[in-house]
Amino acid sequence: MLADPMDDDGSHTAPADIADVDDIALLTAAWMNERAAPALLPFQHGPLARLREMIAVQEETLDSMESEDVTDADFIRSVCLLELDRVKFVIQAYLRTRLHKAEQKTMAILDSTDSRMCLSDAELAYAERFNDIVNESYQQAFLLDSLPPSLQSLNDPEIIGSLDLQKAVFVRVQKDIGDLLLPNGDTIDMAKGKMYLLRYNLVKDMLAIDLLNPLESSEKRSHKLKRLVQSPNSFFMDVKCSGCFQITTVFSHAQTVVICGGCATVLSQPTGGRARLTEGSSYRRKQN
């Protein structure tokens, strides 16, 4: 619960909830996933940007409340400050978790193209600078210059290491996914609410999906009731008759034969799903 702007009558009211509660929930889930996953997950650019903007606006609102004589203003302000601290804690914990992972496997992350793409610009700059400092420390501490040239490089695969993608992790399914094929040929039902203990590499691609910004291609393949925003597959379209060129509005999944009102030419025929247009006819999808 954060502060609302001042009402028209000059008073402040404590809101029941905040508009960006989904971003907070998403970032909290991303933080928990980061703590459990052995590899870096994609950086949550959208939620972080929106939450930072929201915090800036709320802090301005709270500052304006200090100079106003409003009933219960101190109480409202204290509650809103507590909630601001909670949001800031989630942001800091998420970022610190990612930086800690980057510090533990810096060379392996920088050596992997996929891992580098999961870093934000600031995190990438931090990791590269941290790696440079570590390399300089090794040079000074172990006098690498005095070793044979073949032993001076820190880019040896045994030194760089690799991310443990075979690590076992607990997985709680947030939405119905279907069957998941296991290495031994068996399948498990990835139904919403179920929990499994699986190797990370079996589910890492699922964690890489931004649930608030899904790919358009994946949304089209999803059932209309399981999309981020439920939407029908059907639509209305303007169909131009190939005979008289008259335009008729036709439903994409029409269950009856549609005839042109100008020349009685059949425009579409039902198929049980999407209607089939008569050859030679052209159409344009109507915009909402």
Side-chain angles (χ1 to χ4, degrees), residues 155-170:
N155 294 326
D156 187 276
E158 294 185 0
I159 298 177
I160 295 176
S162 61
L163 301 175
D164 185 12
L165 302 183
Q166 296 293 327
K167 180 180 178 181
V169 295
F170 283 100

Side-chain angles (χ1 to χ4, degrees), residues 183-197:
N184 62 1
D186 295 338
T187 59
I188 57 175
D189 181 21
M190 300 290 283
K192 181 178 180 180
K194 289 191 174 183
M195 182 179 291
Y196 298 99
L197 180 63

Side-chain angles (χ1 to χ4, degrees), residues 94-106 126:
Y94 171 72
L95 296 176
R96 286 173 178 172
T97 300
R98 290 179 59 84
L99 291 179
H100 175 71
K101 293 170 72 173
E103 291 174 356
Q104 296 299 310
K105 290 288 186 178
T106 309
Y126 176 86

Side-chain angles (χ1 to χ4, degrees), residues 177-205:
I177 299 175
D179 292 337
L180 176 65
L181 180 64
L182 301 178
N184 62 1
D186 295 338
T187 59
I188 57 175
D189 181 21
M190 300 290 283
K192 181 178 180 180
K194 289 191 174 183
M195 182 179 291
Y196 298 99
L197 180 63
L198 300 171
R199 294 192 183 278
Y200 175 74
N201 63 336
L202 294 176
V203 297
K204 65 183 181 68
D205 292 336

Side-chain angles (χ1 to χ4, degrees), residues 136-144:
E136 292 174 2
S137 299
Y138 277 136
Q139 290 284 351
Q140 297 174 3
F142 300 106
L143 301 176
L144 295 182

